[in-house]
Amino acid sequence: MCIAAPAQIMEINDNVAIVDFGGVRQQAKLDLVEDVEVGRYVLVHSGYAIEVLTEQAAKESLEAWDELLKILDEEEQS
């Protein structure tokens, strides 16, 4: 199974962005996307931004991730 996670672009240097996954930052290559700028959200998979998200899509995706992590945490504590 492949999972892409939403992240916000914090910096862009050449064709590599520093993206933020809720406090965790890492590099993501921008070879596969266009029209990126600091502040936008992208889906990141295997170190590559694979899709630029609208603000609404990013919000929905982040809410879904938060819910999933909450459920997993509750199951782990049971």
Side-chain angles (χ1 to χ4, degrees):
M1 173 172 45
C2 297
I3 297 177
Q8 187 174 28
I9 298 173
M10 306 308 290
E11 298 175 33
I12 299 175
N13 300 307
D14 295 323
N15 208 33
V16 177
I18 302 298
V19 296
D20 184 289
F21 295 94
V24 176
R25 292 185 179 198
Q26 76 174 50
Q27 293 184 344
K29 293 183 181 181
L30 301 174
D31 299 331
L32 305 175
V33 292
E34 297 177 353
D35 300 323
V36 293
E37 58 189 48
V38 172
R40 298 284 310 263
Y41 285 86
V42 290
L43 283 179
V44 178
H45 174 69
S46 297
Y48 284 86
I50 60 171
E51 182 178 345
V52 179
L53 299 172
T54 65
E55 193 74 29
Q56 182 64 28
K59 180 182 176 193
E60 291 171 5
S61 183
L62 290 168
E63 288 172 355
W65 273 99
D66 286 343
E67 185 64 26
L68 174 62
L69 293 174
K70 180 181 173 184
I71 291 168
L72 292 174
D73 187 47
E74 289 171 355
E75 287 180 359
E76 191 175 282
Q77 292 179 12
S78 302

